[in-house]
């Protein structure tokens, strides 16, 4: 399958967009009219630029408000079309997109519409072009693909065919059940966009909230496979616009877009008979949890983190053979403390435990994850890692393997009994840069076969925050992605959205007592929070008293409960959380996040570290 | 009237919010429950803090999902209410807001609802409190103020009354026609919010898009005057939340909020008999155009700007007596070039021509515009100026007055004949910081009696851009406000949204020729733009050729036409525009802005000044 992207998906000038599409490996582009209008290159120069970049011009778009109008306006519309067809020919675009009219002069007359579309197709044929007719979800009369298909059949012209756009069909709750009987030779173009389910005006939804396949809630796999089953031979072409992509760096957005197509094609191969696809990536090995998390810290914050690890009951059991990296462990939770960080302490890397690290790495590469260079000492394990959208290094490990990563460490002890009851890493919370939220979702989803859940939007003290978990079916690898709805301004505190590492315990109060006894820097929770818990949930007074005494936050979902407590921020960007979840609780206590954020802010202000 | 603001309107911790509200001069606050929950101060400490700041606690809010439920749940709801009433009493809040239920357990039974609300009011009375009941626009059964009023009357309890919220009423297209007969003693609370007209889910509309009065499209004056006419004796209280305010600096937002109330009260006084208002600001003197615009420039960009002014046909006719400020003039367009700027050239100030500058200044002060200090030499005019939200200094001048500002300049010449046909300043385009867009609209609207028009949203090369004009009925003072929909990230070019000064001409082509002859740095417009003009509008070929030859952009509205051309960016932040508008054209050629932005970007890249 050829892979194509509409230039409207990317930010910048037309030249910026073409370079980004080519660099990400696209075979072709749709040229968006407004991009061309604002471009100092002539159409011939644009065509030459595309040829140099190895990009086919699959479509010129859009031509609006054509059909079903009075004769005099039809004459003017044909003149307008003539100009645009001449332009498309100069560009070397074989197909021009015509979308269903929203003009006030248009009338509801299918015969008139079909006749005028036939005249348009005649004109296109004279220019050696084809017209792909698309039903806008908010078209004046033609709003469904079925009606646009009916007009194409009525017009009955070889240069007139159908353009299907997944957003226009799926946003209206439509489906392609009727497509099987439609002539394959009239399937001219396919545009793909995902989107979240929203209750709003469909035009605004389309303009501001489209997403690349796999980032939203639409069934793109089912949709696309039906179009392919009906015999569509053209490219898979992305047409996505939203407020964030419109201003994000185009190179990154193009890679994100390409990843979405590679992952979609992989699902299509699984879904039905393959046809013309590139070899899909190696299948995702099932994640088996976290092998380790690595904190990158400078000297000062490294000392603070080491002190916090000790106070949390971790044992320093090893030292890397060639690097200033310490291994700390309690239960199955392993933390590497890397003293080569630049400023503050943050999650620099984490490792996914898997039975086939090598295959996982090949899959990541096939999904355009940038491989990270690594210096390796003699006799050290070859750990492959890739960079997540936020820069975090992601490793693939088999801890028990004879040549595994533990061999890189000189072990000076054993974890011994779990001193404070911590058993494993429950989840990592990774704060995402403003532009990277949907990109990160797709990255983790496609690399590891994780699925998003628990989408939430929180009114936090310094602005709205999004939160979304991605996890595997076995819930062994839990990642919590946070991000702001708006890029932060100068008013936000230095640490509005710290990362955290959440450790699991089976007995939150035992762990809380042990941490307090060891002098861990635990976060104070306001008394008002517990008064509200009491008012809302009428908890058992002994339980409430224990929560209050130990600054434990609480959530429940039906009978399933979640207990969590936090340390203060360690240095500048990270804190630890200890969680206890009862069977059936799959969340993260997200509703408590604003209280936790305000408490961190208060603690930070007190310590003068703001 | 007491002036109040809900803490949910402002960003930060509760302590931040209270300080900001007090500093802006509010008399009271509504305490939003989540702000209290996350606050380390006890309710008594919050009460003391408010007392210290001179803030009454007018309301504690919200209490949700109470009425019309089965008996067992009612019992639990009363327990929950008891806790919250105890809390309100500790806070010293006299009134608690209860909003209509959205609970799945609730039933559609007005008698049950009224009975349970009566029980709630009994409990409130025991605590010495009142309950203000509000219909949420998305309530399960109670969605209109009329139905909430009916329940209040049915329940018939002195501690139960009505809370009216302008958003909940006006977003549903409701009105207060029926309020006249409602007992005044049961009008317990009034919450005010404006909003733009949007077609979307009303809950999302409410959560993300409320605005302060005068910033949106609702008739707050009519709404509020009806509530006051019905005998409401309480405070005017703002309850506004949107994505931008939630993360904006609270001090500025609080001033913006207070300005909206002062301006609303002024309209109320004009609307009907005054009652308990503070003295309204002095009436706005009609603006008579721009007295001058002042460009602040450093030495290098000052030279570039002076060269551009000369090439645009301006004459350097005067020098300030005590400052490095030059006066340039052509026709009635006066430009001051101030060489004390720090970096680049930008609009540092502009002066509004008015018959009563002193009254205008007093009005600005009454509307919380920050007065700017000014160093004055001997025998120089006392020019009062205030700071607009983006920092631009705004002066009030009567140019022809004996002691007017022109006397500050030693005149070395006269403007003479208009060398390039420029007659006046047509408009100023002021790029607004991300957070300041709605604030700026209200600032100019309230200070000068301007009205917003021509709201537009543009898909510009580096992200979505908003554009809105504010102008007086005589269209003598035209300001064009631009802003981004999202704060820019690192990818945006250095000058994504420059300001500009637009000069008027009666003959765009004469002026274009003259500018070219004088070597003005005119901006090239892509040929593709003119091909599209031809396709769309079928212009007279001679006109099209002239537009193309002179790089003139074109727009029309019916028969009314607009011609405009631009210089390249002068230094780093500003360019000049020359415009010709035919009678009846009130716009700004906004649809051409993306083409202009891309052209500026291309010119900037060519000159290596990115």
């Amino acid at each position: 399958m050829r892979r194509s992207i509409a230039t409207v998906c990317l930010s910048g000038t037309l030249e910026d967009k073409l370079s980004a599409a080519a660099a990400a490996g696209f075979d072709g582009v749709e040229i968006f009219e407004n991009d061309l209008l604002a471009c100092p290159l002539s159409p011939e120069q644009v065509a030459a630029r595309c040829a140099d970049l190895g990009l086919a011009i699959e479509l010129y778009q859009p031509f609006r408000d054509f059909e079903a109008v009075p004769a005099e306006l039809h004459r003017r519309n044909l003149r307008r079309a003539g100009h645009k067809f001449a332009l498309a020919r100069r560009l070397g675009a074989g197909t021009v997109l015509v979308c269903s009219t929203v003009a006030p002069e248009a009338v509801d007359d299918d015969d008139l519409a079909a006749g005028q579309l036939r005249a348009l197709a005649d004109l296109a044929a004279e220019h050696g072009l084809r017209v792909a007719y698309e039903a806008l979800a908010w078209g004046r009369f033609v709003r469904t693909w079925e009606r646009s298909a009916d007009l194409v059949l009525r017009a009955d012209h070889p240069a007139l065919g159908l353009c299907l756009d997944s957003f226009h069909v799926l946003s209206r709750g439509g489906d392609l059940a009727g497509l099987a009987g439609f002539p394959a030779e009239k399937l001219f173009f396919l545009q793909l966009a995902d989107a979240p389910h929203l209750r709003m005006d469909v035009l605004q939804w389309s303009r501001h909230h489209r997403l690349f396949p796999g980032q939203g809630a639409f069934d793109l796999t089912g949709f696309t496979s039906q179009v392919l089953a009906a015999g569509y031979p053209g490219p898979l072409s992305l047409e996505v616009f939203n407020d964030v992509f419109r201003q994000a760096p185009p190179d990154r957005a193009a890679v994100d877009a390409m990843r979405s197509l590679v992952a979609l094609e992989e699902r299509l191969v699984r879904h039905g008979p393959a046809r013309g696809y590139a070899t899909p990536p190696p299948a995702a090995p099932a994640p088996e949890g976290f092998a380790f998390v690595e904190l990158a810290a400078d000297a000062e914050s490294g000392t603070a983190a080491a002190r916090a690890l000790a106070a949390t009951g971790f044992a320093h059991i090893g030292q890397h053979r060639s690097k200033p990296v310490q291994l700390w462990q309690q239960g199955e939770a392993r933390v590497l403390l890397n003293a080569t960080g630049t400023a503050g302490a943050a999650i620099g890397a984490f490792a996914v435990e898997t039975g086939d690290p090598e295959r996982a790495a090949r899959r990541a590469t096939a999904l355009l994850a940038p491989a990270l260079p690594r210096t390796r000492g003699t006799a050290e394990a070859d750990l492959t890692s890739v960079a997540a959208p936020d820069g975090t290094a992601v490793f693939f490990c088999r801890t028990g393997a004879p040549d595994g990563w533990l061999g890189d460490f000189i072990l000076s002890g054993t974890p011994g009994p779990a001193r404070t009851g911590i058993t494993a890493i429950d989840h990592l919370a990774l704060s995402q840069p403003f532009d990277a939220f949907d990109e990160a979702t797709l990255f983790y989803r496609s690399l590891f076969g994780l699925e998003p859940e628990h989408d939430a939007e929180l009114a936090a003290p310094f602005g709205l925050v999004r939160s979304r978990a991605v996890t595997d079916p076995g819930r062994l690898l839990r990642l919590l992605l946070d991000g702001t709805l708006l890029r932060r301004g100068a008013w936000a505190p230095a640490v509005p959205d710290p990362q955290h590492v959440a450790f699991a315990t089976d007995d939150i109060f035992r762990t809380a007592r042990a941490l307090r006894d060891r002098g861990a820097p635990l976060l104070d929770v306001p008394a008002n929070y517990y008064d509200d818990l009491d008012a809302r949930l009428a908890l058992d007074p002994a339980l409430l008293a224990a929560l209050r005494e130990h600054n434990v936050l609480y959530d429940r979902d039906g009978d399933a409960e979640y207990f969590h407590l936090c340390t203060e921020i360690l240095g500048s960007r990270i804190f630890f959380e200890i969680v206890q979840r009862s069977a059936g609780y799959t969340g993260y206590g997200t509703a408590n996040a604003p209280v936790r954020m305000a408490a961190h802010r208060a603690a930070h202000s007190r310590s003068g570290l703001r």
Side-chain angles (χ1 to χ4, degrees), chain A residues 25-41:
Chain A
F26 280 94
D27 304 305
V29 291
E30 305 176 25
I31 299 279
F32 179 58
E33 176 160 286
N34 291 35
D35 287 329
L36 185 73
L37 291 195
C39 178
L41 302 181

Side-chain angles (χ1 to χ4, degrees), chain A residues 33-106:
Chain A
E33 176 160 286
N34 291 35
D35 287 329
L36 185 73
L37 291 195
C39 178
L41 302 181
S42 70
E44 290 81 2
Q45 288 171 319
V46 171
R49 177 75 59 95
C50 287
D52 285 349
L53 292 167
L55 292 170
I57 299 184
E58 301 280 6
L59 191 77
Y60 183 74
Q61 64 121 319
F63 188 75
R64 296 185 192 277
D65 295 336
F66 177 79
E67 76 280 15
V69 293
E72 162 57 19
L73 182 52
H74 176 56
R75 196 190 55 73
R76 279 187 280 142
N77 280 347
L78 279 177
R79 175 188 178 280
R80 181 162 60 95
H83 276 73
K84 295 302 181 185
F85 289 163
L87 173 63
R89 200 172 47 186
R90 292 172 64 196
L91 269 177
T95 308
V96 173
L97 176 78
V98 173
C99 40
S100 62
T101 188
V102 299
E105 300 90 346

Side-chain angles (χ1 to χ4, degrees), chain A residues 188-359:
Chain A
F188 278 10
F189 214 75
L190 172 61
Q191 294 178 315
L192 297 176
D194 203 341
H197 287 307
L198 294 174
R199 285 168 53 192
M200 66 188 301
D201 177 68
V202 68
L203 173 60
Q204 296 301 319
W205 186 13
S206 172
R207 293 237 169 117
H208 297 284
H209 301 284
R210 289 184 176 215
L211 290 168
F212 293 128
Q215 296 180 337
F218 289 170
D219 175 16
L220 269 293
T221 311
F223 182 90
T224 311
S225 67
Q226 282 178 293
V227 178
L228 297 178
Y232 170 71
L236 301 184
S237 191
L238 297 167
E239 196 199 22
V240 168
F241 12 87
N242 68 46
D243 297 359
V244 174
F245 293 171
R246 280 193 203 276
Q247 55 84 64
D251 290 326
R252 287 187 61 153
V255 168
D256 189 23
M258 177 54 82
R259 181 178 298 130
S260 80
L261 274 188
V262 174
L264 174 66
E265 289 183 25
E266 181 189 32
R267 293 197 300 277
L268 289 168
V269 171
R270 256 188 280 134
H271 198 269
R275 186 171 54 73
Y277 300 119
T279 312
E288 296 166 15
F290 294 97
F292 63 79
V293 60
E294 178 172 318
L295 306 183
D298 59 16
E300 189 186 351
S301 64
T303 307
R307 209 161 38 222
L309 282 167
T312 311
F314 279 75
H316 177 188
I317 63 160
Q319 188 68 37
H320 195 277
R321 293 181 187 277
S322 64
K323 295 178 197 157
V325 178
Q326 302 175 349
L327 168 60
W328 294 72
Q329 184 165 351
Q330 184 177 186
E332 288 299 310
R334 294 178 205 91
V335 180
L336 306 190
L337 192 54
N338 185 332
T340 61
T342 49
I347 296 176
F350 67 89
V352 178
E353 184 75 31
T354 171
D356 193 342
E358 195 269 332
R359 193 176 80 196

Side-chain angles (χ1 to χ4, degrees), chain A residues 131-218:
Chain A
V131 165
Y133 181 63
E134 171 186 71
L136 296 177
W138 54 89
R140 182 98 195 278
F141 304 111
V142 178
R143 287 176 213 155
T144 62
W145 79 265
E146 288 93 341
R147 191 156 177 193
S148 60
D150 181 61
L151 286 179
V152 165
L153 293 177
R154 263 184 215 233
D156 190 22
H157 192 293
L160 179 71
L162 197 62
C163 175
L164 290 167
D165 178 309
S166 60
F167 182 88
H168 292 302
V169 176
L170 299 174
S171 64
R172 297 178 49 91
D175 67 54
L176 296 181
L179 191 66
F182 189 82
E185 70 276 12
K186 289 190 187 296
L187 286 174
F188 278 10
F189 214 75
L190 172 61
Q191 294 178 315
L192 297 176
D194 203 341
H197 287 307
L198 294 174
R199 285 168 53 192
M200 66 188 301
D201 177 68
V202 68
L203 173 60
Q204 296 301 319
W205 186 13
S206 172
R207 293 237 169 117
H208 297 284
H209 301 284
R210 289 184 176 215
L211 290 168
F212 293 128
Q215 296 180 337
F218 289 170

